[in-house]
Every structure is written in C-alpha cells, then in structure tokens.
C-alpha cells in the first residue's frame, strides 16, 4: 500500500486537498480510508472506496479550518506563530505524510512569501498598527528590521515553528517626528521583501477599516474622509379601530468613507472590501464587525491615481413600538 500527498502544504481548502492511493495489487479491492486530524490525533471521517487499484481522494470536505482570524491590537514589532492544521490519511495501518493547512485563501506557489493584497508602499499614522501574514517552511529563522528616515532602527528575530506567522508593525515605538520608514523582512538570511511606509497625520474624522482579503490576510487602511448619517429605513404599520399605528421601526446608522488618491494597485486592494466576507472598523482599542452597503465601485483604470468611496453600516436594529 502506497499513500502519497498530492496537494502541497497551505493549499486552500476550496481548491481541494488530494491524496493518492495505490494498493499495489493486481486485482481491484475495497479499502477503508481514515482521515486523521493530527492536532487531536482523532479520525474525523472514513471513506470506503470499492473496487479500486489506485484512487485519488479529496479530504477537503472533512477539514475543519477557521475561515479567518481577527485583527489584533499591537504595541511592539513582533512575530507570532499562527495556528496551522495538520491532516493525514490511513489505510490498513499505513499512514500518509501530513499536509499542513492554514487560513490562506489562495495558493502559495513560492515559499517564503508575504501574503497580502496591498502593494509594498503604504500609509500609516501615529497610533496605528499594520499586520503582515508571512508563509514559510516550518522551523525557519525570521528577522524584521525597521529603519526610519531619522536613522532610527528597531529589529526582532524569531524562530518560526508553524510555517505561518503574523508580523505586527506598530508605529508607537518610533520617534513622533518620523516621516517614513522601511520594513525589511528576512527568512533564513534572505530578504523576502521591503515594505515602505509613509507616515501621514491622522485626520479628525478619519476611519480605519480592516478586512479579510482574497488572499486570506487581514488588511488595514485608514480612510481620511468620512461623513456620518442616521436614518430610518422602514416602518411597519397596523390598522386599528383608532386608525393606523406604527408597530415597528427599522433603523440603521451608516458612514461613508473615502480613500486618498492612491495608485491603482492600492485601489484594487481596497476594492476587495466590497465583497469581503468579513470587515471591521477600529473603535478605540477594539475592532467592531461592520457590514458594507456598497455593492459596486468605480475607479480609473488608466494608470492615474484614483480614490474610492464606500458606505459602511455600523449597526442596524428593529425597534418594536
């Protein structure tokens, strides 16, 4: 019996997670395949394959992986291992190699890599934090260094065990007069990428959103312009002997946010907010889940900087009268 892992580590579940089975027999036979969650070391499902010599099995329907993680409140430049999920199959007491899975939503063709939808040139303001999702081989040495326009330098080293780590990039550690800084990320002594941050003043009324990107990372962006509105969106009335009365009122509070004029690469990343399954708004030191009301957006595709506007529902409720 030969069991082979056909999918690579960090394959998104929606693409299918495949194992190959070769019974190494001349005649077809029935086999029972056990799908094992390595974290708990429990069998999560069994499949009976009938009259096979070789087979290809997709275990994706039996894999339990959270759809996303949530944005964090960070204070120092730091790495932290993200939870990974290991699965294998077993046939006749023979077990396959483990496959490692995580929260990424697109295929990671090369490792190491920074998983992000935004370009490597970004804005950040005092009091804010950015997060970078990094995928690499397990048991790798990671290094991150911030160098500011003032010559200040901050660095951190980390030994990655899981293969997926979150790098928190706060600005609170830097001098308040910093106008820009470069973040260099290395894996096993090789540079993975350099992210340039321009430090912009935080405008009054600006709004910071975080969202689950198409790649599976949590992206953040501060919209410098916003306007608030509160409106009733519907009433339910009933006819009585005294006439019509309002029995229920639906109300919601929304906010319209507008981005800076940004390069098209940034605008296309922001456009993912419209169809993202999870969006948050920063409120003080916590993140509050919100709903995006905009169903489509328009922006210039001819290379010039553009901006986008989004309608965000902060809350919606029904009030019985």
């Amino acid at each position: 019996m030969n069991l082979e892992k056909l999918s690579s580590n960090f394959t998104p579940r929606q693409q299918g997670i495949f194992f190959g089975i070769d019974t190494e027999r001349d005649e077809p036979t029935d086999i029972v395949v056990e799908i094992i969650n390595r974290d708990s070391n429990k069998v999560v499902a069994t499949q009976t394959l009938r009259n096979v010599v070789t087979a290809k099995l997709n275990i994706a329907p039996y894999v339990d992986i959270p759809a996303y993680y949530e944005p964090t409140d960070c204070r120092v430049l730091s790495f932290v291992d993200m939870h990974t999920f290991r699965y294998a199959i077993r046939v006749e007491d023979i077990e396959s190699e483990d496959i490692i899975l995580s929260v990424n939503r697109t295929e990671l063709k090369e490792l190491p890599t920074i998983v992000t939808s935004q370009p490597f040139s970004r804005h950040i303001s005092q009091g804010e934090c950015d997060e970078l999702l990094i995928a690499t081989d397990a048991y790798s040495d990671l290094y991150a260094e911030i160098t500011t326009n003032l010559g200040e330098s901050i660095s951190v080293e980390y030994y990655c065990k899981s293969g997926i780590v979150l790098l928190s990039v706060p600005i609170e550690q830097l001098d308040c007069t910093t106008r820009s800084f470069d973040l260099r990320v290395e894996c096993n002594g090789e540079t993975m990428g350099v992210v340039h941050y321009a430090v912009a003043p935080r405008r009054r009324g600006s709004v910071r959103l975080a969202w689950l990107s198409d790649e599976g990372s949590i992206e953040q962006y501060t919209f410098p312009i916003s306007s608030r509105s509160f409106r009733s969106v519907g009433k339910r009335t009933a006819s009585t002997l005294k006439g019509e009365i309002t029995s229920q009122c639906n109300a919601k509070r929304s906010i319209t946010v507008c981005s800076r004029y940004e390069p098209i690469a940034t605008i296309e990343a922001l456009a993912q907010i419209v169809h993202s399954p999870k969006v948050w708004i920063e409120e003080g030191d916590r993140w509050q889940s919100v709903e995006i009301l905009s169903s489509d957006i328009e922006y210039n595709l001819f290379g010039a900087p553009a901006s986008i506007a989004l309608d965000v529902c902060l809350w919606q409720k029904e009030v019985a009268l």
Side-chain angles (χ1 to χ4, degrees), residues 233-292:
V233 294
K235 295 181 179 180
R236 184 175 296 175
T237 60
S239 297
T240 69
L241 294 175
K242 297 181 179 181
E244 288 193 348
I245 62 171
T246 300
S247 61
Q248 194 172 39
C249 179
N250 299 327
K252 67 180 177 181
R253 184 181 181 186
S254 64
I255 184 173
T256 300
V257 298
C258 184
S259 74
R260 300 178 182 85
Y261 278 89
E262 299 278 13
I264 293 302
T266 300
I267 295 298
E268 289 181 342
L270 298 180
Q272 293 185 9
I273 299 175
V274 172
H275 62 259
S276 174
K278 198 67 180 177
V279 182
W280 300 265
I281 188 170
E282 186 180 42
E283 293 186 343
D285 58 354
R286 66 186 183 95
W287 291 91
Q288 177 67 38
S289 181
V290 294
E291 177 188 357
I292 300 300

Side-chain angles (χ1 to χ4, degrees), residues 6 79 196-197 200 210 300:
L6 301 179
F79 290 99
H196 176 75
Y197 290 88
N300 175 21

